[in-house]
Amino acid sequence: YSRLSDGEYCHVLASRHSGKTSLMARTSNRLREDGVQIAILDLAQVGGRDDSTDVGRWYYSIAYRIVRELRIRSEMQEWWQERSGLSNLQRLREFFLEVVLVGTEGPVVIFIDRIEAATGEGFKRDIFGAIRACFDARATEPDFQRLSFAILGTATAKAALPGGRDSPI
């Protein structure tokens, strides 16, 4: 709670059924009481029956759910299509700047639960690149100081890369 209140990025990696989601719920409730805007995204629920064939739809689903969670009024579909020339990673970063940060005031924390759902397909792992890009943008875009992420899930360093190679996460 205190790290997210201070605008830091956080992660909770632990075994299944160890209380990660309960911790997220308690922390998000406390942050809301303090006036922080919260979006909770469960990656296991993003996408459709065969999301591996439509990368753009998977990323759009993430953006759509965040807009809905934050109750931002936006023409999301139109905004998303207008930026179809960008890579999904770039589009997601721009989404955080142009939609989330423009559509909110004060601090925003996005909880991303069940990150293990993003460790299989290469394009799904790019969400971590988008989060990193938002963090790095704090140096040049002051608005990004208002945006923090907390990622939660069951993952190991070996699971993060194809073939089970060790990876610094």
Side-chain angles (χ1 to χ4, degrees):
Y1 164 81
S2 62
R3 295 186 87 180
L4 290 170
S5 291
D6 291 341
E8 294 182 40
Y9 282 46
C10 298
H11 65 273
V12 178
L13 302 176
S15 62
R16 294 187 187 279
H17 309 294
S18 60
K20 297 177 297 295
T21 301
S22 296
L23 175 65
M24 176 183 64
R26 288 191 311 274
T27 303
S28 66
N29 287 337
R30 283 185 68 191
L31 290 167
R32 277 189 184 110
E33 289 172 3
D34 293 343
V36 176
Q37 294 179 70
I38 303 294
I40 297 174
L41 175 66
D42 183 340
L43 288 185
Q45 296 178 4
V46 173
R49 292 169 297 220
D50 187 17
D51 58 358
S52 65
T53 60
D54 193 346
V55 178
R57 180 171 291 174
W58 192 81
Y59 278 95
Y60 178 79
S61 294
I62 289 171
Y64 176 81
R65 287 174 187 251
I66 291 171
V67 164
R68 192 178 76 205
E69 286 276 318
L70 294 172
R71 293 177 175 83
I72 296 173
R73 293 197 180 274
S74 172
E75 296 295 330
M76 260 310 296
Q77 192 168 14
E78 181 180 324
W79 184 94
W80 196 259
Q81 288 175 346
E82 286 175 356
R83 286 147 186 87
S84 63
L86 298 175
S87 71
N88 288 306
L89 191 145
Q90 288 174 314
R91 195 170 0 177
L92 198 55
R93 181 198 177 275
E94 294 301 312
F95 160 77
F96 288 122
L97 179 63
E98 296 177 9
V99 177
V100 172
L101 292 173
V102 168
T104 60
E105 293 181 11
V108 176
V109 174
I110 299 174
F111 288 88
I112 301 178
D113 197 9
R114 298 191 195 181
I115 62 165
E116 61 273 12
T119 58
E121 301 285 337
F123 74 84
K124 290 181 180 179
R125 287 194 318 261
D126 285 345
I127 189 169
F128 303 117
I131 292 168
R132 177 61 189 246
C134 290
F135 179 78
D136 291 346
R138 289 175 162 205
T140 57
E141 295 277 348
D143 279 346
F144 275 105
Q145 295 289 334
R146 295 192 300 113
L147 180 63
S148 296
F149 291 87
I151 59 173
L152 302 94
T154 304
T156 64
K158 288 185 178 187
L161 287 177
R165 296 186 316 261
D166 286 320
S167 165
I169 311 183

